[in-house]
Amino acid sequence: MPVADLHVHTTNSDGRMALADVPDAARTADVGVVAITDHERLHPDLETPIDDLAGTTAIHGIELRVETESGQVDLLGYGVAPTAELRTELDRLQNDRIERGRAIIDCVEERLDCDLALEPTEGIGRPHIARTIARSDADYDYEGAFAEVIGNDCPCFVARDLPTFERGAALLADACGVVSLAHPLRYDDPAAALALAASDHVDAVERYYDYGRPVDVAPVTRAIERHGLLETGGSDAHDGVLGRAGLDGDEYDAFRERLAASLPEGVPRP
């Protein structure tokens, strides 16, 4: 059973669980450590890289999407002590999210002849828009909205202006104690994604993840062993259910030691 779920989203991005609800969800799942990894947003209520939430250890993290030659991938940063450069890039990405959200909403309303009554704000993503479409008079549920309206290659898809892998990984490496390649088997080209593990800015690979389907994790294990990396893992929870994937006690101890060694003086250790 996992003791640490290192991939969790809150209402600060596209999750449906408020930060205040995390301790109860963690206790229900018998998870003692949770990493808050909202999309391209620092959580305003986590003021230090490591915090205590009513008895649950909360690691302040972030998930950053980047561009590579083979497509987009996601990076997870843990123990964030944000630099000015990271804050500037996150501000740019949030402005891009707002502009993109507005363009998608305008397209959906025109195409489906509906009023979504949704104002794009920081943190907005396609899940917010899909949920709003499902609640509207349009003839689409959440999955249908993605499949036919706003998903990749759909009529109302709008691309994002993302940093390159090199820039994104460097920004996280400067600001975070551990940088991990997220869910490598989710991408169209897992081998190309795993090749990024050779970067000096990558410390870990997300070995444990709820893909919702059978997967062969042997390539992930080989990449971790080849490059001497840490294992990370998490449920990628956007709801209130934690612990579907994560690290066991020994695996978390190894992660904790690396993270603790990288934290600035005076910061509480996990």
Side-chain angles (χ1 to χ4, degrees), residues 8-183:
V8 174
H9 298 279
T10 73
T11 51
N12 190 48
S13 60
D14 61 351
R16 307 185 78 169
M17 178 171 53
L19 186 66
D21 298 326
V22 168
D24 283 344
R27 282 189 287 271
T28 298
D30 201 21
V31 167
V33 182
V34 174
I36 305 301
T37 54
D38 285 312
H39 297 285
E40 289 131 24
R41 290 195 83 188
L42 302 172
H43 202 292
D45 295 331
L46 294 175
E47 298 180 353
T48 59
I50 309 294
D51 211 334
D52 179 85
L53 295 179
T56 296
T57 298
I59 298 172
H60 195 182
I62 192 166
E63 185 168 12
L64 181 66
R65 182 158 293 179
V66 297
E67 289 280 6
T68 76
E69 292 182 358
S70 61
Q72 298 175 358
V73 302
D74 295 317
L75 300 174
L76 295 163
Y78 297 105
V80 184
T83 61
E85 291 80 5
L86 179 61
R87 289 189 185 277
T88 297
E89 180 63 12
L90 295 181
D91 287 344
R92 185 191 71 80
L93 287 168
Q94 290 307 318
N95 288 333
D96 180 68
R97 276 185 175 272
I98 291 170
E99 293 174 5
R100 179 204 195 207
R102 184 173 293 112
I104 294 174
I105 291 166
D106 288 346
C107 176
V108 169
E109 290 181 335
E110 180 177 356
R111 188 173 188 87
L112 302 185
D113 191 24
C114 66
D115 181 5
L116 296 183
L118 177 63
E119 182 64 27
T121 58
E122 287 192 3
I124 189 169
R126 285 183 292 173
H128 297 97
I129 300 172
R131 288 195 286 263
T132 306
I133 292 172
R135 292 193 298 265
S136 75
D137 294 332
D139 192 23
Y140 292 97
D141 60 11
Y142 180 89
E143 290 76 15
F146 263 102
E148 299 186 41
V149 184
I150 65 173
N152 295 359
D153 300 322
C154 289
C156 291
F157 172 75
V158 177
R160 297 183 57 202
D161 182 12
L162 299 174
T164 64
F165 167 78
E166 291 77 11
R167 174 163 171 73
L171 286 170
L172 291 185
D174 287 343
C176 302
V178 172
V179 178
S180 180
L181 175 67
H183 40 61

Side-chain angles (χ1 to χ4, degrees), residues 204-248:
V205 177
E206 194 168 42
R207 165 69 173 76
Y208 302 100
Y209 184 82
D210 180 17
Y211 288 98
R213 56 182 170 83
V215 295
D216 177 12
V217 299
V220 181
T221 303
R222 287 195 295 269
I224 289 170
E225 293 175 348
R226 182 181 306 120
H227 301 295
L229 301 176
L230 291 169
E231 297 174 322
T232 62
S235 60
D236 198 4
H238 287 71
D239 51 17
V241 181
L242 304 185
R244 287 176 293 214
L247 301 184
D248 67 21

